[in-house]
Every structure is written in C-alpha cells, then in structure tokens.
Amino acid sequence: MARINCIGILTSGGDAPGMNAAIRAVTRSAIANGFTVKGIYRGYDGLIAGDVRPFTTENVSNIIQTGGTILRTARSKAFCTPEGREQAYTVLKREGIDALVVIGGNGSLTGAKVFAEEYDYPCIGLPGTIDNDLYGTDSTIGYDTTLNTILQCADKIRDTANSHERIFFIEVMGRDAGFLAQYSAIAAGAEAAIIPEDNTGKDQLIEFMERGIRKSKKSCIVIVSESPTCGALYYAKRVNEEYPEFDVRVSILGHLQRGGSPTAHDRILASLVGYGAVQALLQGQRNVMVGVRNNEIVYVPFIEAIGKRKPINKEVIKVLGQLSI
Ligand code: F6P
C-alpha cells in the first residue's frame, strides 16, 4: 500500500451543524500524527476544479462552534460521471494528496465508494447529515442539533396552537428517513408523527383522527416527514376536506433546520469520528465510514453504511403512541 503523507478533506451534499468540528478534528489529528493536510473547497465540484488549499491548525481555529462548513459544499453532478472522477483523480495526484476524507451523507459516501474502487484510492467517510440515515453509527453529525432546532420551533408553535385550539402539521426534513420527525415528536410532546417507516399501507391520518385526539386535548401537533407527495400540506388539505370542524395550520420548517451552532453532542461526535478517520488511515484501513456505536468509535465498510437501511426502533413508535393519549 502506498505511503500516505498528505490527507485531503472535503464536505459534500447538504451541510450539517458539526461539519466544521469534523474538519477541525481531522486536520488537527492528521497534523498531530505527522501528516500534511489540504482543504478541498466546494465538495467534489471543487476537487474537479482544483480548488485546493494547504491547511494548518490555524485554518481550523475558532470553528468548532460554528454551523455550515468553512469548506463550502455542493451536490456535484460532474462527480457522478467517469470523466468528472478522472479529472478529480488527476487533481489529487497533482496536489500530492494520498488519501481523502469525505464528510457527507449517503450520496457523498456513495461517490467516495465508487471513486475508491475505480482508482484503488484510500477514502474515509464521516457521517455528516442531519437525516441520521447512515447505517452502522448511532447518530450522524448534525442530527442532534437539528432535533433541538425542531424542538425549539415546535415549542413555540405549541403556544399559538393552544391559544387558537388548532391542529398544526409541522413538516421536517429527513429525505426518506423519519428519525427527525419521530424523535422530535417524542421530545416535543407531539400528538403524532407521520413517518415513511410507519407506512404499512394504513391511512396514518385516519388512524390518528380516529384516536379521538381532540377529546382530551385542545390543540394538536403532528410532525410530518417531508415527502414529495404526502407532506404537511397534503394532510392539512385532507383535514380541511374530511374533518372541516377542525381549524388546521401548516408550518414547513425548511432549511432553518440545517443552520445553527452545533450541540455538544454533535461537536463531540464530530471530534471522535474526525480523530477516528486519521486512526483508520494509520491502521491501513480504507473505504470505511467512521461512526460511533455504544460510545465506541467503529469502522463501517462503505457498502454497509450506504447500502443497509437504518431501521427506526418499533418500540420508539409505540412510546409516542402511548405518551400522546
Ligand atoms: O440530506 C439533508 C437534507 O437537508 C434533506 O433532509 C433534505 O431533503 C435535503 O437535504 C434538501 O436538500 P437541498 O438543500 O439541496 O434543498
């Protein structure tokens, strides 16, 4: 295996609070272990374009507490093409970068896997996504911060929902995973969560309305996972048509969920996996995602991290059902 002297770092896909803490951790662990570091700007697009700069410990000073990503990010179409990846490889060789650490979600780590196999190139992935949809790690960088952001919004919406005795559908992100909706619903004391994982053919709205929720409560909060066809607007429209006696409102939280200073949990997770990325390279590992499971740093082959669906614990769905009566 070729000796690694220089490590390149990039962030890719949707930004997530804690990405900066991860960039800092990789940079500092790498330098502490004698590697040089280069920051690659604007994700895979920036790699293809050669937007690469040397990084010292100073480049990552005073960023652990900041949201977004100092390296910027992109959803690269070019890297999905063989020509784009070839150009990326040429840039890595030219820049003397011997290994790549990619901080991102499912799509970004899929790109890293394809590239690593095509060019026999060492890539390490860090789970950076608010969606928490990567298999093999208890949590992903950004997920906890976003949960807390949703919670702050839901608490505020509860005030007005109560005053007006309304049903509110709050739509949250998550792509096709319901972690943000399910867990924020428990934390917010919401009356229900509508998530893709619970879609067993039953009508989740009818089920919820037939529980007679308004018998015991004046207001209602339902947290709905985003969906191109049946998000919060869909359910609100149906309540208007099928249960016109209820006053219903919608709040789509949108991209505010991706901003803000990372929580302690996300900063610690990012620090552990950033350190773990450098450990993985020192141990000669490649093509793995670094995660944390039961408080231990773990190395998950890309194929598992992106290929296996991370399940939502069914018991957690029952918890919400029982606590929201
Ligand atoms: O993957 C993170 C995420 O925020 C998803 O929850 C959401 O569906 C998507 O990105 C939104 O992407 P964009 O910022 O490109 O609109």
Side-chain angles (χ1 to χ4, degrees), residues 105-107 109-111 113 134-135 301-309:
N106 209 293
L109 301 197
T110 301
K113 176 182 176 291
L134 288 163
Y135 185 89
F302 278 152
I303 186 75
E304 278 185 32
I306 58 178
K308 288 193 179 172
R309 186 160 174 89

Side-chain angles (χ1 to χ4, degrees), residues 14 75 129-131 173-175 226 255 258:
R75 297 192 190 280
T129 167
I130 64 166
D131 301 335
M173 282 185 169
R175 213 166 55 109
E226 66 178 344
H255 285 78
R258 287 233 298 261

Side-chain angles (χ1 to χ4, degrees), residues 6-195:
C6 175
I7 299 174
I9 312 172
L10 63 81
T11 48
S12 165
D15 60 349
M19 278 185 163
N20 284 331
I23 296 166
R24 170 183 180 271
V26 177
T27 304
R28 296 219 165 149
S29 299
I31 292 171
N33 284 284
F35 297 106
T36 56
V37 177
K38 288 193 173 174
I40 300 161
Y41 285 74
R42 296 185 295 108
Y44 292 121
D45 277 350
L47 173 59
I48 291 167
D51 197 352
V52 178
R53 299 171 218 172
F55 256 32
T56 65
T57 56
E58 277 171 37
N59 288 85
V60 295
S61 287
N62 210 12
I63 63 167
I64 194 168
Q65 75 281 20
T66 58
T69 159
I70 59 159
L71 286 176
R72 313 274 183 255
T73 187
R75 297 192 190 280
S76 176
K77 288 202 173 71
F79 199 70
C80 297
T81 66
E83 298 75 26
R85 291 192 294 275
E86 191 182 354
Q87 176 59 18
Y89 184 70
T90 306
V91 172
L92 288 169
K93 288 281 130 193
R94 189 182 71 212
E95 291 287 341
I97 299 173
D98 310 305
L100 196 56
V101 176
V102 174
I103 307 166
N106 209 293
S108 307
L109 301 197
T110 301
K113 176 182 176 291
V114 171
F115 182 74
E117 287 169 358
E118 219 164 40
Y119 288 93
D120 190 22
Y121 190 89
C123 290
I124 303 292
L126 300 189
T129 167
I130 64 166
D131 301 335
N132 195 29
D133 59 350
L134 288 163
Y135 185 89
T137 183
D138 290 340
S139 181
T140 55
I141 299 163
Y143 170 63
D144 183 66
T145 306
T146 299
L147 264 187
N148 281 285
T149 301
I150 295 170
L151 197 54
Q152 284 173 11
C153 296
D155 288 349
K156 291 188 166 77
I157 288 171
R158 178 70 84 182
D159 290 343
T160 177
N162 261 335
S163 308
H164 288 265
E165 302 190 350
R166 282 173 169 157
I167 297 179
F168 262 87
F169 288 98
I170 303 179
E171 183 175 297
V172 301
M173 282 185 169
R175 213 166 55 109
D176 50 7
F179 290 96
L180 285 170
Q182 185 66 33
Y183 284 86
S184 65
I186 291 177
E191 278 59 44
I194 297 183
I195 60 169

Side-chain angles (χ1 to χ4, degrees), residues 216-281:
S216 59
K217 302 197 180 192
K218 292 272 177 253
S219 69
C220 248
I221 288 186
V222 181
I223 311 232
V224 185
S225 284
E226 66 178 344
S227 155
T229 50
C230 45
L233 287 168
Y234 163 82
Y235 286 107
K237 184 165 176 279
R238 281 193 52 197
V239 172
N240 274 330
E241 287 164 7
E242 297 166 37
Y243 305 90
E245 66 276 25
F246 293 116
D247 197 10
V248 61
R249 293 290 187 276
V250 165
S251 208
I252 298 175
L253 300 188
H255 285 78
L256 70 80
Q257 293 166 91
R258 287 233 298 261
S261 176
T263 57
H265 180 278
D266 278 333
R267 296 183 200 192
I268 293 165
L269 173 63
S271 301
L272 295 182
V273 296
Y275 159 90
V278 175
Q279 289 301 309
L281 290 171

